[in-house]
Amino acid sequence: MATISDVATRAGVSTATVSRALNGKATVDPELAGRVLAAAEELGYRPNGPARNLRKQETAVLALIISDVENPFFTAIARGVEDVAHEAGYSLVLCNSDDAPDKEREYVDVALQERVAGVLLSPTGSSGTAELLARHSTPVVAVDRPLPDRASDTVLVDNRMAAKHATLHLAGQGYSRIGCLTGPSGVPTADDRLAGYRDGLRAVKLPSSTSLVRRSKFKADGAQQAAHALLRQNNPPDAVLVGNSAMAVGVLEALAALKLKPGRDVGVVAFDDAPWTTLLDPPLSVVAQPAYDIGALAARLLLDRISGDREETSTTTLSAHLVARGSSSR
């Protein structure tokens, strides 16, 4: 991607002259202006609108790239980011990667082409994305998951501890064969929740078996199939910890199809406190994450980074808390 410095070098003028020429200032000698315009055309350079706005202290743009805009957890993160960004005079562009590295890379490319002031990213795990952002010196803050193989400002939740507490809660309610339905292998949140589940089982000396664990995408349809397989096996679990609210929908659909009632027949605790969870009979027990706070804090960190107020990177880990309801009590 050509920069204003590249144009200046090609035309043999200063960057200030390039800026004046591209903005149509009459003070630029016509011959110099012609050289600048020719150099810009040859290099494919486009003026950096957001940067001009930043210099004028007008509206700037941030990009938020999340894995699933339909997930209430990420929706709340987006709201936290937007509130802080808007208050500071920034606009927000929301992108949905669907946890696909290629799609994430496409959105990062667009963000770089548009020269956004900074990027907030829930990484898919592709190291190429982090390298691309670093190569262009674009400020970035990772949310929910760390950037792979690169230091950055990061805002996380202690998923492992939260999953352990949820598992201990199920054990305390008298469930003795507890299963876990989590997301894809290699996704840090999914792996941490599985590790916390196993920590909980060890703490109360309950059996841990691969037959009690299923993985799927963080989506309802995959979770429904996985829950069917989990619950129709010989010696099925009497309770299950579920990776997120979208997966919880699939689990509840599987329970209904098998004529099993949450709480009475199968204890259920799911990550994320979506608005509909209290409308069920019985209401769904959840691990409530501070999603809005994640977004708001990440946005503040990014704005500090953009303004040059911060140099060292930091990782902030927030806590989640269990909200026990009828689906996890017998």
Side-chain angles (χ1 to χ4, degrees):
M1 185 185 302
T3 66
I4 193 170
S5 296
D6 296 330
V7 176
T9 300
R10 177 68 66 92
V13 299
S14 69
T15 56
T17 299
V18 172
S19 179
R20 290 198 301 272
L22 294 180
N23 282 288
K25 300 294 185 182
T27 55
V28 181
D29 180 87
E31 180 185 354
L32 293 182
R35 281 161 48 190
V36 168
L37 293 173
E41 183 64 26
E42 290 170 8
L43 295 171
Y45 174 76
R46 295 294 178 268
N48 184 351
R52 288 200 302 270
N53 288 335
L54 278 170
R55 286 193 293 272
K56 296 175 184 176
Q57 294 186 342
E58 296 177 355
T59 303
V61 179
L62 307 179
L64 172 61
I65 306 173
I66 55 178
S67 61
D68 184 6
V69 72
E70 294 181 334
N71 185 335
F73 171 72
F74 286 110
T75 305
I77 285 178
R79 183 70 210 205
V81 171
E82 198 273 339
D83 283 352
V84 171
H86 184 265
E87 184 178 352
Y90 285 72
S91 297
L92 181 68
V93 176
L94 179 62
C95 309
N96 187 65
S97 72
D98 286 319
D99 259 337
D102 289 345
K103 193 174 181 182
E104 176 186 84
R105 175 62 180 260
E106 289 175 7
Y107 278 129
V108 169
D109 282 338
V110 170
L112 293 173
Q113 290 167 18
E114 295 299 323
R115 300 183 183 180
V116 299
V119 174
L120 300 111
L121 175 66
S122 176
T124 62
S126 170
S127 59
T129 299
E131 293 170 0
L132 182 61
L133 290 166
R135 192 158 63 245
H136 287 81
S137 301
T138 301
V140 59
V141 174
V143 295
D144 188 47
R145 309 166 185 174
L147 279 180
D149 305 322
R150 189 170 293 275
S152 73
D153 292 315
T154 307
V155 184
L156 308 172
V157 170
D158 193 342
N159 283 283
R160 184 165 184 166
M161 185 59 69
K164 178 180 179 179
H165 286 163
T167 305
L168 293 175
H169 164 72
L170 287 168
Q173 294 298 306
Y175 299 103
S176 60
R177 187 169 169 80
I178 302 170
C180 179
L181 206 165
T182 190
S185 178
V187 176
T189 48
D191 292 345
D192 287 348
R193 289 168 191 176
L194 179 59
Y197 153 79
R198 287 174 170 156
D199 290 343
L201 293 182
R202 281 193 296 270
V204 292
K205 297 181 172 53
L206 285 178
S208 175
S209 168
T210 55
S211 67
L212 293 173
V213 175
R214 292 290 186 278
R215 287 184 180 267
S216 79
K217 290 184 178 180
F218 280 119
K219 300 284 187 180
D221 53 355
Q224 183 182 25
Q225 296 174 17
H228 264 287
L230 190 62
L231 295 167
R232 296 188 69 178
Q233 66 179 323
N234 293 329
N235 199 17
D238 60 0
V240 61
L241 175 62
V242 185
N244 74 356
S245 59
M247 298 175 83
V249 172
V251 171
L252 293 172
E253 289 173 342
L255 290 172
L258 297 171
K259 301 188 184 319
L260 298 172
K261 189 172 181 63
R264 183 192 66 196
D265 301 312
V266 179
V268 180
V269 176
F271 271 77
D272 302 328
D273 194 9
W276 53 263
T277 57
T278 58
L279 304 178
L280 303 174
D281 182 22
L284 186 66
S285 296
V286 298
V287 175
Q289 301 188 83
Y292 180 92
D293 294 340
I294 293 171
L297 176 57
R300 292 188 190 100
L301 289 171
L302 184 59
L303 293 175
D304 285 348
R305 180 69 59 184
I306 292 168
S307 67
D309 290 343
R310 303 183 69 255
E311 294 183 1
E312 298 297 322
T313 60
S314 66
T315 296
T316 304
T317 304
L318 304 179
S319 298
H321 67 278
L322 178 72
V323 181
R325 300 183 180 128
S327 70
S328 63
S329 61
R330 283 175 154 167

